[in-house]
């Protein structure tokens, strides 16, 4: 369908959709909405980590709905069946809750959305952090391992090393810690095992596979990264050991200390994510921009799949931002469109994910044809769906270790 022939329909329908009722201050989460390629208004979904903030919110809303005499109990059922998913059924449930607990919501909050006031009322604790919100969207960048309990044998994609990364063997978790190139899996596992808090948990989970664990984290050998294939091949070839290996990481994921340690490694001084995110902050500093909560989420999302910005890229991008007097969303769009891609297919996919972080400023009709088609095909989300805003934000050192943090580079 030609976009030119349907532009007036898209503009009209887009106005009817979510950003016709823009995210009010304090909005926590709302069901995504978009206009499809046939110019039809549609709703979409957010899928959070099983240990994210949407699950406890859904469970609490469902529990409260059961106390509302004017609400059909069936309205709460979808929230109980898939608590970590937020979609149209969730929006209907939130709208129903509003009919019997009107004072629990801010007046400006769109119907069918949850705001921070509701969270505090139901949960009796502060609203989710910027990192918690960013994860909801960013984890989708790891579709094969989108949560802490997910593992993948890359060898399964074909015969031998037939995956997208020829060196990949085994991957664990949403930051895609991989045995193979860079051996981020072994490094993360080593850090967790060495910690006095998480080490005993790792040892307990591995149990009879303790010797295998020791082999994986033994850094005394110069070729310890390259040896992963030899160490893990017997596990891969044995169906019982493969299943046990999966269970080990599923058990570990259930421990909040392990999840925090996993985050802490990758976002800390020794993890690749922290270093990549830091390069984006360097770019903004040179460009004269103050980073926001939405910028932080974008830097995290981008860093999952892209190497650190090079010095040359930072120089060129910061100069372009300054010359054009760009705002934050314009800078994010610039990064999205000029960063080299490995292939046309990669560009088509990534642009749709990047548009999540500037579509709020443009509206769906303001995207160019390539951005729009990719966003509809690959995302359909807006960063504001999880309450991310352009409020200035500097992540604490215990969230992301940036230059200037104690013990880091000045």
């Amino acid at each position: 369908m030609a976009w030119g022939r349907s532009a007036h329909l898209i503009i009209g329908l887009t106005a009817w959709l979510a950003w016709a009722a823009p995210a009010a201050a304090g909005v926590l989460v709302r069901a995504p909405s978009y206009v499809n390629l046939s110019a039809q208004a549609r709703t979409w979904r957010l899928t959070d980590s099983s240990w994210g903030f949407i699950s406890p919110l859904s469970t609490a809303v469902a529990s409260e709905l059961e106390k509302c005499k004017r609400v059909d109990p069936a309205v709460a059922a979808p929230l109980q069946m898939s608590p970590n998913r937020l979609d149209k059924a969730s929006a209907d449930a939130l709208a129903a809750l509003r009919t019997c607990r009107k004072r629990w919501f801010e007046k400006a909050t769109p119907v069918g959305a949850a705001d921070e006031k509701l969270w505090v009322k139901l949960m009796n604790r502060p609203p989710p952090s910027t990192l918690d919100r960013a994860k909801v969207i960013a984890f989708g960048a790891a579709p094969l391992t989108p949560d802490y309990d997910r593992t993948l044998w890359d060898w399964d994609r074909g015969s031998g090393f037939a995956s997208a990364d020829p060196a990949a063997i085994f991957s664990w978790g949403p930051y895609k810690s991989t045995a193979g190139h860079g051996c981020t899996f072994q490094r993360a596992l080593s850090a967790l095992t060495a910690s006095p808090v998480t080490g005993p948990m790792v040892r307990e989970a591995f149990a009879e596979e303790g010797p295998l664990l020791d082999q994986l984290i033994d850094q005394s050998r110069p070729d310890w990264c390259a040896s992963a294939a030899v160490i893990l091949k017997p596990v891969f070839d044995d169906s019982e050991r493969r299943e046990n290996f999966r269970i080990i990481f599923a058990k570990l994921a259930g421990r909040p200390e392990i999840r925090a340690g996993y985050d802490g490694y990758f976002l800390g001084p020794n993890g690749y994510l922290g270093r990549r995110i830091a390069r984006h902050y360097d770019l903004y500093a040179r460009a004269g921009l103050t980073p926001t909560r939405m910028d932080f989420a974008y830097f995290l999302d981008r860093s999952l799949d892209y190497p650190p910005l090079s010095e040359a890229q930072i120089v060129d991008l910061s100069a372009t931002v300054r010359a054009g007097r760009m705002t934050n969303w314009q800078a994010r769009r610039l990064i999205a469109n000029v960063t080299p891609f490995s292939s046309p297919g990669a560009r088509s996919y990534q642009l749709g994910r990047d548009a999540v972080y500037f579509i709020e400023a443009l509206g769906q009709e303001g995207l160019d044809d390539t951005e729009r088609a990719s966003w509809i095909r690959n995302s359909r989300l807006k960063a504001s769906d999880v309450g991310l805003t352009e409020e200035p934000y500097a992540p604490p050192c215990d969230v992301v270790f940036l230059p200037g943090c104690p013990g880091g580079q000045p």
Side-chain angles (χ1 to χ4, degrees):
M1 182 176 186
W3 277 103
R5 296 199 302 270
S6 60
H8 64 289
L9 290 173
I10 293 173
I11 293 171
L13 284 166
T14 301
W16 178 80
L17 285 168
W19 52 77
V27 164
L28 175 63
V29 69
R30 65 184 178 192
S33 56
Y34 70 105
V35 176
N36 67 14
L37 292 173
S38 299
Q40 298 171 314
R42 291 285 186 264
T43 55
W44 194 233
R45 61 180 179 269
L46 290 167
T47 303
D48 197 6
S49 163
S50 296
W51 296 275
F53 72 89
I54 290 180
S55 286
L57 174 66
S58 297
T59 301
V61 169
S63 177
E64 201 60 41
L65 281 171
E66 292 175 349
K67 304 173 187 176
C68 297
K69 296 181 180 179
R70 291 176 292 170
V71 175
D72 184 345
V75 174
L79 279 69
Q80 296 165 326
M81 290 187 291
S82 301
N84 66 322
R85 171 174 165 148
L86 190 136
D87 53 18
K88 184 180 183 300
S90 309
D92 292 343
L94 287 165
L97 181 62
R98 191 167 183 154
T99 64
C100 62
R101 299 288 189 268
K102 189 174 182 178
R103 293 183 180 180
W104 290 11
F105 293 79
E106 295 289 348
K107 291 182 180 180
T109 301
V111 174
D115 56 30
E116 294 179 359
K117 180 179 179 180
L118 177 65
W119 171 273
V120 173
K121 184 68 178 179
L122 289 174
M123 310 305 298
N124 193 32
R125 61 177 187 261
S129 69
T130 299
L131 178 59
D132 292 331
R133 299 169 194 245
K135 285 179 180 179
V136 178
I137 298 176
F139 280 11
L144 297 175
T145 55
D147 212 342
Y148 295 95
D149 61 342
R150 295 289 292 275
T151 55
L152 169 75
W153 284 98
D154 298 87
W155 275 328
D156 272 343
R157 299 188 199 176
S159 58
F161 291 100
S163 70
D165 176 1
I169 300 167
F170 177 83
S171 299
W172 169 40
Y175 300 145
K176 293 180 280 189
S177 64
T178 302
H181 179 67
C183 63
T184 51
F185 168 66
Q186 298 100 298
R187 295 182 192 278
L189 196 58
S190 295
L192 289 168
T193 307
S195 165
V197 174
T198 56
M201 299 175 188
V202 175
R203 291 286 178 189
E204 179 184 7
F206 269 80
E208 67 271 18
E209 289 286 9
L212 176 72
L213 171 64
D214 290 331
Q215 285 183 292
L216 286 170
I217 65 175
D218 179 9
Q219 301 183 36
S220 64
R221 295 171 54 183
D223 64 340
W224 79 287
C225 282
S227 64
V230 175
I231 295 170
L232 291 173
K233 191 65 163 62
V235 180
F236 177 79
D237 290 339
D238 185 325
S239 60
E240 185 174 338
R241 291 186 72 188
R242 284 184 67 178
E243 176 61 12
N244 185 47
F245 209 56
R246 182 193 67 79
I247 292 173
I248 285 171
F249 292 98
K251 287 181 177 178
L252 286 173
R255 305 296 292 265
E257 299 90 347
I258 293 290
R259 299 193 301 274
Y262 183 96
D263 283 1
Y265 172 75
F266 284 101
L267 296 170
N270 298 314
Y272 78 95
L273 279 179
R275 293 194 296 271
R276 293 182 184 183
I277 290 171
R279 299 296 282 167
H280 287 88
Y281 278 99
D282 186 15
L283 163 62
Y284 268 47
R286 299 193 207 183
L289 291 177
T290 299
T292 67
R293 296 184 186 279
M294 201 171 293
D295 286 319
F296 168 78
Y298 180 54
F299 299 162
L300 171 66
D301 200 331
R302 259 261 158 176
S303 297
L304 285 171
D305 282 309
Y306 283 83
L309 293 171
S310 68
E311 177 64 20
Q313 287 174 323
I314 292 175
V315 170
D316 289 345
L317 288 168
S318 60
T320 301
V321 171
R322 281 188 175 276
R325 297 182 179 180
M326 293 183 175
T327 61
N328 293 52
W329 74 262
Q330 290 171 323
R332 293 192 295 269
R333 193 184 193 192
L334 175 69
I335 295 169
N337 279 279
V338 305
T339 304
F341 294 89
S342 59
S343 67
R347 181 176 191 273
S348 176
Y349 171 76
Q350 187 63 40
L351 274 179
R353 294 197 54 81
D354 287 344
V356 169
Y357 301 95
F358 52 80
I359 191 170
E360 190 72 32
L362 291 166
Q364 188 174 332
E365 73 282 1
L367 301 176
D368 67 33
D369 289 351
T370 302
E371 292 169 339
R372 187 186 305 113
S374 181
W375 180 76
I376 292 173
R377 184 169 56 250
N378 300 311
S379 177
R380 308 173 191 177
L381 307 178
K382 298 179 285 294
S384 58
D385 291 334
V386 289
L388 291 166
T389 68
E390 297 287 19
E391 178 187 358
Y393 174 73
C397 290
D398 62 351
V399 172
V400 179
F401 194 91
L402 300 175
C405 286
Q409 296 297 318

